[in-house]
Amino acid sequence: SNLVNDDNNLYFSNNKNKFYSIDLKTGNPNWLQEISSVLRPILVNDLIYTITLKGYIVVIEKQTGNIIRINDIFKGNNINKKKNVEPTGFIIGKNSFFVTTSNGRLLEVDIKSGQTKSIIKIENNKINKPYILNKDMNLITDNSIIKLK
């Protein structure tokens, strides 16, 4: 994943299913979790949010590395895991996560329960991480930029 940091620590995952917190001053690991993610984690106050390749939202305490919650965003939906659908990016809004997928879907996931509230089919191909610009969500596909209001 891409690296993210706060004032004292660096957070990232690698291609060996490891998610790290590293002390910036010493370079020593603070903690390690077995989480398979290639997406950039998001820091919110004392929590770290990440999404695994299999579609699990993982909420981690930033200080201790303890996993607070894991939710399967694909559970009960028509997204077939056997077709190797993977999350491609996510952002956090006030009450929801917005997750894009490799099969062209945008999922809205409740931030408190971790349950998927809605799925919008954008197209049949990969959608990159959503971006917010002037309070509008923008999605980048292979051949277009889509603005959602």
Side-chain angles (χ1 to χ4, degrees), residues 5-145:
N5 70 293
D6 58 16
D7 293 333
N8 303 309
N9 303 295
L10 184 66
Y11 306 95
F12 64 96
S13 59
N14 67 12
N15 62 355
K16 300 207 187 260
N17 300 331
K18 306 289 186 205
F19 193 100
Y20 291 91
S21 168
I22 305 292
D23 184 286
L24 284 172
K25 291 179 185 172
T26 66
N28 294 325
N30 295 314
W31 50 260
L32 168 69
Q33 285 287 353
E34 290 194 23
I35 299 171
S36 175
S37 178
V38 296
L39 302 179
R40 180 185 183 138
I42 297 176
L43 304 177
V44 178
N45 299 323
D46 294 329
L47 301 175
I48 302 170
Y49 296 87
T50 192
I51 300 181
T52 71
L53 293 171
K54 299 291 184 184
Y56 292 92
I57 290 178
V58 181
V59 183
I60 306 166
E61 287 182 329
K62 190 169 67 167
Q63 224 28 28
T64 64
N66 291 333
I67 294 177
I68 296 172
R69 186 176 80 210
I70 300 175
N71 292 95
D72 185 353
I73 62 173
F74 294 154
K75 182 180 180 182
N77 298 315
N78 292 328
I79 296 177
N80 188 344
K81 288 185 182 181
K82 292 180 182 176
K83 292 185 179 178
N84 296 322
V85 175
E86 296 179 350
T88 55
F90 74 107
I91 58 173
I92 298 177
K94 183 176 180 180
N95 299 311
S96 299
F97 296 98
F98 294 92
V99 183
T100 52
T101 66
S102 59
N103 70 339
R105 306 303 187 267
L106 175 67
L107 285 69
E108 181 180 4
V109 180
D110 184 77
I111 203 162
K112 290 183 181 176
S113 70
Q115 301 302 310
T116 301
K117 297 184 338 187
S118 66
I119 301 172
I120 301 170
K121 180 180 177 182
I122 303 297
E123 64 173 47
N124 290 323
N125 298 315
K126 176 182 173 183
I127 304 171
N128 290 322
K129 174 185 173 190
Y131 291 92
I132 302 297
L133 181 63
N134 298 326
K135 298 185 182 180
D136 294 324
M137 185 183 310
N138 295 275
L139 303 172
I140 300 171
T141 68
D142 286 340
N143 56 10
S144 64
I145 298 173

